[in-house]
Amino acid sequence: MKQYVITAYDFTDADALQRRMNVRPHHLDKVKELKENNNYIAGGAILNAEDKMIGSVMIVQFESDEQMEAWKNSDPYVTERVWETIDVKPFRQATV
């Protein structure tokens, strides 16, 4: 499987954090599906100096770039305008 590291930063408008919190349960449900299907490696929130969530980092794996893009574009954080910028890079988890 191809692995990817995703770094995504949230919108910064006044409603951004509340939008994230409203959508978060749906996003986490999708992450649970990823884990059940062996597509999830690791992930979590990026925090600012006040410990408020301002983005996310995820490491995922898929059979193809197309499958990864389809998942990414259907994630609630994308469809509900939580993530403003999304950077996807190929990744290889170290075996230690």
Side-chain angles (χ1 to χ4, degrees):
M1 280 204 210
K2 294 180 164 190
Q3 296 179 335
Y4 309 86
V5 61
I6 299 166
T7 307
Y9 286 93
D10 296 356
F11 283 89
T12 57
D13 57 274
D15 298 326
L17 182 58
Q18 187 58 54
R19 198 164 51 248
R20 172 184 265 270
M21 298 313 292
N22 292 345
V23 174
R24 190 168 187 258
H26 306 291
H27 167 74
L28 293 176
D29 286 342
K30 289 289 196 178
V31 172
K32 288 175 188 171
E33 286 179 24
L34 287 177
K35 187 173 181 179
E36 290 169 3
N37 293 322
N38 197 35
N39 298 112
Y40 175 83
I41 298 172
I46 299 170
L47 306 176
N48 67 11
E50 291 81 38
D51 282 340
K52 292 192 174 153
M53 292 183 270
I54 59 166
S56 306
V57 172
M58 292 183 73
I59 302 172
V60 295
Q61 59 187 8
F62 290 92
E63 291 294 332
S64 68
D65 295 345
E66 293 79 18
Q67 287 178 346
M68 187 279 304
E69 284 292 327
W71 159 76
K72 182 187 75 167
N73 292 333
S74 68
D75 187 275
Y77 277 180
V78 172
T79 61
E80 300 300 317
R81 297 180 40 83
V82 173
W83 288 341
E84 180 177 27
T85 61
I86 305 167
D87 182 59
V88 178
K89 296 281 191 265
F91 178 81
R92 185 174 302 130
Q93 185 177 20
T95 305
V96 293

